[in-house]
Amino acid sequence: MRTTIHIALLIVTTFLAYSNSLNGEFVFDDFGVVQRISVADYPTLSSAILASVGDRPLLHKTYALDAYLGFPDPRFNMHLTNLIIHALNVLLVYGICLIFVNSGAAFVGALVFAAHPFYADSVAYLTARSSMLAATFLWCALLLGLRAWRSRPAHVGIPWRDYRLWLAIIVFLLGTTVKSDIWVGVGIVAGIALLRYRPRPGRIVAVSSLFVLSVAAVLFFVIGAVEVDSTSRAWVIQSFFQYNRIQTISSDLQIAGLAPVFTVYEYLQTVINNFAFHILPNLVLPIRLTADPPLEYGDPIEFVTSLAIIACLILSMLSMKTAPSVRHGLLFILASPPLARLLVPIEDIGFEYRAYMTGLGVALLAGYAYSRLPTAAHWRKYVVMATLAVVLVLGIGTLRRNAVWQSRLTLWEDAAAKAPKKTRTLLNLSQAYAAAQRPADALRILEYAITLDKYSPALNSNIGAIYTDQQRWELAEYHLMIAARNDNFSEPYTNLGVVKLRTGMPEEALRLFDRAIVLRPSSSAAWWNRGAALTILGKRDEAMKSYNESIRLQSDGT
């Protein structure tokens, strides 16, 4: 009966905390990942169930089902699905917590996770469903595996004959079709085995030290100048004999100067600093949450401090013998962001939704803290009142965070207020103003951003486009020429072509559009404007082919 009440309260709390997220607009990567999924693509239930696109087929099926059920506007369905997935995860966390703490502590831990503002980004942001769904499969597999493992004494070993273990393996493998971050589960299982069988501390320290030294030797003495190729999401190693340096294929963000290309040392330093100085503080006191956190590297003192913080957490995890919930809570928090980012290198390290899997660790630690509170009868009402106050404050913070994610304008105004000198944030804010038909505000933000990075290709291209719309041709051409110095960035060539076309130079415009298409054949804008230039030049057959290609690319979402 108590468990049923707990489950009902957890579901109600989750839906109340995220009730204002259901009417949110498409924001950020939603435009490229989710918006192009339409009802017309999946007219029948079978077409939605059989949908399979890219390397995340199971994830895409959930979006396809939302589109099928969401006529005429699938956004509400998509937000509701995100909320349902989070509610399911809350129940899975509750089930795992029951293995380590009593039912009251497990309930409080799951309640904290349900209402914590840190996870609002994952629920309110449609593209973040991949992280939540990966956590669903991982936590379901962990719950099954832990139930099987805990059913036998430690000396028996792995319960291979228990059906729950094999079911856990199947669920985990299904989760790999959602997001590659789920492979962090292998490290978590290894950590659970380490904590369960408790090898001698000296042996742990020796093996860990040898592993760290070996990795350090490989990274800094053999491939120390290697960079991270965030496009293929893998470590890329070139022959040592080729100057010990690689040239990665940059993503669109990197080409535009909006995402850094890290060396291995810079990447590791950024991952660790982000974990120690952004993720951990916001898990404890979520007051500096932002859609685009600043990433800092280069300060050795900060790096050493970050390493010291992580080392203290690891030592605490290994040394505590009487609090399994704390040991495993620290394991889940340590494994999720740092280990996942090392297994799957990405260009945007700091996004909070990528740390969604820390929720299990937060719940375990919160449950342990609750279990240590006084249990005497005369203290009970104060404990309950304090717990309710904490959950209420967290819930209000989540509601406020959901409001930030309601639209791209509110999202980037909040992010710019917290990182006023980050040019990518300012660029996104200017684009939000432009989409809201506020060109003066967009221009104001871009002019300020240009003072921070005078030669940024993306900033100059966007400000040039605004000047083009205002028919300020000289200023437009000046900024677009600066942007075009990056010879791999197609957008300024398209915009320069528009300037030439509007100022009566179609031949020069055609040359620029052709250059833009060479750099990015999937640019529908370049193909359309190429058709306009050919029409002016009287080449109507070629123009029609360009128009048709542009229409095809637009229908494909590119």
Side-chain angles (χ1 to χ4, degrees), residues 28-89:
F28 209 12
D29 285 348
D30 289 345
F31 292 100
V33 177
V34 181
Q35 186 185 32
R36 60 190 179 90
I37 299 174
S38 66
V39 179
D41 296 328
Y42 305 104
T44 63
L45 180 61
S46 60
S47 65
I49 294 174
L50 297 175
S52 180
V53 176
D55 58 349
R56 299 177 177 179
L58 194 56
L59 174 66
H60 188 84
K61 290 179 194 297
T62 65
Y63 289 128
L65 285 169
D66 287 335
Y68 167 73
L69 297 170
F71 182 81
D73 186 355
R75 283 183 300 181
F76 179 84
N77 271 28
M78 290 179 175
H79 282 292
L80 181 60
T81 301
N82 271 25
L83 180 49
I84 291 172
I85 292 171
H86 183 58
L88 176 60
N89 287 340

Side-chain angles (χ1 to χ4, degrees), residues 332-345:
F332 296 137
I333 289 176
L334 285 165
S336 178
L339 184 57
R341 295 291 62 80
L342 295 178
L343 290 174
V344 188

Side-chain angles (χ1 to χ4, degrees), residues 350-407:
F351 288 166
E352 289 144 10
Y353 76 85
R354 301 188 191 279
Y356 182 81
M357 290 183 187
T358 60
L360 179 54
V362 169
L364 282 170
L365 294 177
Y368 173 78
Y370 177 81
S371 69
R372 303 303 296 174
L373 295 174
T375 57
H378 63 278
W379 282 103
R380 188 170 300 167
K381 67 177 182 179
Y382 298 109
V383 170
V384 171
M385 289 173 61
T387 303
L388 289 176
V390 169
V391 173
L392 181 61
V393 170
L394 291 174
I396 292 172
T398 297
L399 289 169
R400 294 181 64 182
R401 193 72 194 142
N402 294 336
V404 169
W405 281 86
Q406 281 292 305
S407 70

Side-chain angles (χ1 to χ4, degrees), residues 455-530:
Y455 299 104
S456 165
L459 293 176
N460 278 285
S461 182
N462 277 264
I463 199 170
I466 291 178
Y467 284 139
T468 299
D469 289 338
Q470 296 178 347
Q471 299 185 7
R472 299 164 71 177
W473 309 120
E474 291 184 3
L475 281 173
E477 187 168 356
Y478 169 77
H479 286 284
L480 291 171
M481 289 297 292
I482 293 176
R485 292 178 184 177
N486 183 335
D487 203 39
N488 295 315
F489 189 29
S490 67
E491 185 178 297
Y493 287 97
T494 301
N495 291 337
L496 266 175
V498 172
V499 172
K500 298 298 183 182
L501 197 61
R502 293 185 182 180
T503 54
M505 292 182 279
E507 296 89 351
E508 182 66 14
L510 181 61
R511 184 186 66 80
L512 291 166
F513 295 140
D514 286 339
R515 176 59 182 165
I517 290 169
V518 169
L519 293 174
R520 189 176 183 182
S522 62
S523 173
S524 60
W527 281 103
W528 185 269
N529 285 293
R530 184 178 186 272

Side-chain angles (χ1 to χ4, degrees), residues 13-193:
T13 301
T14 303
F15 274 79
L16 287 176
Y18 290 95
S19 57
N20 63 333
S21 70
L22 296 175
N23 294 313
E25 301 175 3
F26 290 126
V27 296
F28 209 12
D29 285 348
D30 289 345
F31 292 100
V33 177
V34 181
Q35 186 185 32
R36 60 190 179 90
I37 299 174
S38 66
V39 179
D41 296 328
Y42 305 104
T44 63
L45 180 61
S46 60
S47 65
I49 294 174
L50 297 175
S52 180
V53 176
D55 58 349
R56 299 177 177 179
L58 194 56
L59 174 66
H60 188 84
K61 290 179 194 297
T62 65
Y63 289 128
L65 285 169
D66 287 335
Y68 167 73
L69 297 170
F71 182 81
D73 186 355
R75 283 183 300 181
F76 179 84
N77 271 28
M78 290 179 175
H79 282 292
L80 181 60
T81 301
N82 271 25
L83 180 49
I84 291 172
I85 292 171
H86 183 58
L88 176 60
N89 287 340
V90 169
L91 299 183
L92 289 172
V93 164
Y94 175 63
I96 295 173
C97 287
L98 283 173
I99 297 174
F100 298 99
V101 294
N102 61 57
S103 61
F107 171 66
V108 170
L111 204 60
V112 168
F113 170 58
H116 203 297
F118 186 87
Y119 306 105
D121 292 22
S122 303
V123 182
Y125 181 30
L126 295 176
T127 302
R129 181 182 299 181
S130 58
S131 294
M132 289 199 300
L133 203 55
T136 304
F137 282 93
L138 177 59
W139 292 343
C140 185
L142 280 175
L143 180 59
L144 291 167
L146 286 170
R147 292 284 185 186
W149 214 336
R150 291 273 172 161
S151 65
R152 299 189 178 195
H155 68 273
V156 173
I158 301 174
W160 292 113
R161 295 184 180 181
D162 195 312
Y163 76 95
R164 290 173 295 187
L165 181 62
W166 291 104
L167 189 57
I169 293 172
I170 293 172
V171 170
F172 177 82
L173 292 177
L174 282 174
T176 61
T177 66
V178 174
K179 192 173 186 178
S180 54
D181 281 16
I182 197 174
W183 286 104
V184 76
V186 175
I188 290 174
V189 170
I192 292 173

